[in-house]
Amino acid sequence: MITRRKFIGLAGATALLALSGCSTAGTNPSDDAIPEPEPESTANAAENERSAKGDDAMARSTLIAYFSCTGTTERIAGIIEEATGAGTFRIVPQQPYTEADLAYYTGGRADQEQNDPSARPAITGRIEDMADCDTIILGYPIWHGQAPRIIDTFLESYDLAGKAVLPFCTSHSSGLGSSASSLHALAPEARWLEGRRFGADASSAEVEDWLAASDIAVAGATSVPASFDLKTRQVTLNDGLAMPTNGLGTYSLKGQTCTDSIAAALAAGVRLIDTAYMYGNEAEVGRAIRESDVPRDEVFVITKLYPSQFANAAAAIDEALAKLDIGYVDMMLLHHPGAGQVEAYQAMEAARSEGRIRSLGLSCFYVDELRDFLPRVSVMPALVQNEMHPYYQDSDVVDFIHGQDIVLQAWYPLGGRGHNAELLSDPTLAAIAADHGVSIPQVILRWNLQRGVVVIPGSSNPAHIREDASVYDFELSDAEMARIAALNRDEKHDWY
């Protein structure tokens, strides 16, 4: 399997294969000059085969395969890899090209191959699971106006029938020209898409915009639940309840600051409030809701049981209801996995059947935890609440949770605990925010919403609370979503 991270396919269940070729800067000033070879133009067959097979058994539909001499096309392939999360296969000639081989218009090896339509330079290594790949992004340099003959070898080495092929070339100024159409005959049963030329100085944004325009899904792209409606600003849970898509997190809010913040949120139209036993503010949350002019049935309140409460969950549920004193809890979560979690959840199920809790969920549960937990309970959780921000996107977990018909909610959507300063000054986010005339926090929250993820940013500043709630009058483009997806670092900011 060819994989390094996650494989994301082209919309419509197609996938991606990219060949990255040589730089076009050579000894001859011609636009399509053959380049000087890069120092490491060879790789042993075992290593290439290992890269092609990858490190895990994740099914994939996207591949980047590239041939590179000086690194120009390799750099573009790297940008595509970052943007799509696809794996790579470097096309390595069995007989490496020397500097003399690549000298332009000298009658050397490369000149001879380009002048010989039957030339097929041998390739080191092989992709063993090409059948799993649905789309091919085919990249190459322009040599004498065409793709190097080693690309012909590659195309003829596999059955590409039914696969989408998206070509790109690297060149100083020459476009794809007839090079793409010349390759069509080598894979006539493939579905060839319109390609693009990139210069040596092509930016990541330029490449990502091209991917988005070509309808290529990007790393971090996730399936959005059909019940997630940004027009109504609500998502329908799997138990039939409607929940707002944005809310206020109350972690660290205490006393009068907490009640004032909730009052500001309700005044700004926020109708989802998140609290927890461990926050120590359930009483303040309840008081703010009781004292507001907003009808109780219009406010969706979430609280949580901490693992230290699991051993006597029934009493903990009673305590939460008493502290909140708002009649019922809209949703109760297990705050973390812990000893006795199934029994605690069963106590929540019982309270739900009595009408004291309307909906159930989990917090800080990921794929392994969910696979262990879900078969052991009777009521499917309606929501999972996890850390989620541009530096920690966890797209595999998002897709898994959505695939279980469970809504995902993001805590720390703006970074959290000493990490938000860097995130809120990120230059990519700043540029996108400037283009829309909004703030960086608004861009981040909107990004999550467009991924089908509910957001609960926390703040005690009324202006920030209003700003965080004002994320429905602009929309991020596919290209902008791709640029944000490329920011992922798998950088978790809290312990669980």
Side-chain angles (χ1 to χ4, degrees):
M1 180 152 305
I2 306 165
T3 180
R4 195 187 85 179
R5 291 185 297 276
K6 178 182 179 184
F7 289 87
I8 306 292
L10 193 148
T14 56
L16 164 67
L17 165 66
L19 293 175
S20 182
C22 305
S23 164
T24 56
T27 56
N28 187 291
S30 171
D31 290 340
D32 56 352
I34 296 174
E36 297 296 326
E38 61 187 326
E40 50 198 38
S41 60
T42 63
N44 84 31
E47 173 62 19
N48 208 13
E49 185 173 355
R50 183 203 62 77
S51 298
K53 289 182 177 178
D55 303 320
D56 59 56
M58 184 183 297
R60 58 106 177 126
S61 58
T62 298
L63 168 67
I64 304 167
Y66 65 90
F67 165 61
S68 186
C69 287
T70 64
T72 300
T73 314
E74 181 179 27
R75 187 181 77 84
I76 302 301
I79 294 172
I80 296 172
E81 181 185 16
E82 285 298 318
T84 63
T88 63
F89 176 80
R90 180 170 180 170
I91 297 175
V92 177
Q94 285 187 5
Q95 180 185 350
Y97 289 95
T98 67
E99 182 174 347
D101 290 337
L102 297 175
Y104 213 45
Y105 293 133
T106 64
R109 174 186 166 195
D111 282 349
Q112 294 173 24
E113 289 176 354
Q114 292 306 101
N115 290 328
D116 180 3
S118 66
R120 296 294 184 271
I123 294 173
T124 294
R126 179 173 177 81
I127 300 168
E128 298 300 333
D129 58 349
M130 178 64 87
D132 295 338
C133 183
D134 299 319
T135 299
I136 299 170
I137 295 182
L138 178 62
Y140 48 83
I142 298 295
W143 286 9
H144 288 289
Q146 295 294 324
R149 296 298 180 189
I150 197 168
I151 303 304
D152 298 9
T153 308
F154 182 85
L155 289 173
E156 292 179 342
S157 297
Y158 303 97
D159 179 7
L160 303 180
K163 302 182 187 299
V165 181
L166 178 62
F168 77 90
C169 74
T170 55
S171 170
H172 177 65
S173 62
S174 301
L176 281 170
S178 64
S179 67
S181 58
S182 297
L183 297 175
H184 292 186
L186 303 175
E189 302 300 320
R191 180 167 63 89
W192 288 82
L193 307 176
E194 184 176 353
R196 164 106 181 236
R197 178 198 73 85
F198 291 103
D201 59 351
S203 67
S204 295
E206 184 180 357
V207 176
E208 290 161 7
D209 286 347
W210 170 67
L211 291 170
S214 301
D215 203 21
I216 299 293
V218 298
T222 59
S223 56
V224 178
S227 60
F228 203 94
D229 191 340
L230 293 183
K231 292 182 179 178
T232 64
R233 306 181 185 185
Q234 291 189 325
V235 57
T236 302
L237 304 173
N238 59 25
D239 55 18
L241 291 182
M243 184 180 72
T245 51
N246 70 289
L248 177 72
T250 64
Y251 171 78
S252 80
L253 298 179
K254 308 292 185 184
Q256 192 62 42
T257 298
C258 179
T259 54
D260 289 346
S261 299
I262 293 172
L266 295 174
V270 174
R271 294 296 182 264
L272 169 62
I273 308 296
D274 178 78
T275 182
Y277 164 79
M278 278 301 291
Y279 299 171
N281 60 13
E282 287 173 312
E284 289 94 327
V285 169
R287 178 161 62 89
I289 292 171
R290 292 194 307 273
E291 293 177 353
S292 76
D293 295 328
V294 179
R296 167 66 186 94
D297 61 2
E298 293 183 12
V299 184
F300 197 102
V301 179
I302 299 175
T303 193
K304 312 175 191 73
L305 299 187
Y306 204 70
S308 62
Q309 300 177 290
F310 289 177
N312 196 356
I317 293 168
D318 290 341
E319 180 182 353
L321 287 163
K323 285 180 178 178
L324 285 164
D325 191 20
I326 51 177
Y328 58 89
V329 174
D330 294 274
M331 178 177 284
M332 185 170 283
L333 316 179
L334 299 182
H335 205 145
H336 292 289
Q341 61 188 21
V342 172
E343 293 77 12
Y345 192 87
Q346 289 169 342
M348 287 163 39
E349 289 178 336
R352 178 178 178 269
S353 68
E354 297 166 356
R356 298 193 298 155
I357 300 172
R358 301 180 69 203
S359 193
L360 307 181
L362 307 167
S363 180
C364 302
F365 276 67
Y366 299 86
V367 174
D368 289 344
E369 293 89 343
L370 288 167
R371 283 177 171 157
D372 174 70
F373 183 84
L374 295 180
R376 302 165 65 190
V377 298
S378 300
V379 177
M380 176 67 78
L383 178 137
V384 172
Q385 188 186 99
N386 284 343
E387 179 177 349
M388 192 73 55
H389 47 76
Y391 289 168
Y392 186 71
Q393 301 183 16
D394 229 6
S395 297
D396 292 337
V397 177
V398 176
D399 282 337
F400 179 84
I401 291 172
H402 284 171
Q404 305 298 313
D405 194 24
I406 298 172
V407 169
L408 185 65
Q409 189 176 79
W411 53 264
Y412 279 0
L414 304 180
R417 287 198 182 179
H419 294 277
N420 60 352
E422 181 184 12
L423 183 61
L424 298 185
S425 60
D426 186 277
T428 296
L429 297 174
I432 294 172
D435 287 343
H436 288 276
V438 298
S439 69
I440 291 177
Q442 286 174 312
V443 167
I444 295 171
L445 298 175
R446 180 72 196 195
W447 165 78
N448 254 324
L449 291 174
Q450 288 185 209
R451 300 170 80 217
V453 176
V454 177
V455 290
I456 47 170
S459 179
S460 61
N461 184 318
H464 291 168
I465 291 171
R466 289 191 297 271
E467 178 182 289
D468 291 345
S470 302
V471 289
Y472 295 96
D473 56 356
F474 71 99
E475 182 175 359
L476 301 175
S477 68
D478 290 343
E480 289 167 333
M481 293 291 288
R483 292 167 66 188
I484 298 173
L487 298 177
N488 182 47
R489 304 175 178 177
D490 292 327
E491 181 179 289
K492 205 171 190 310
H493 291 164
D494 210 339
W495 68 275
Y496 206 96

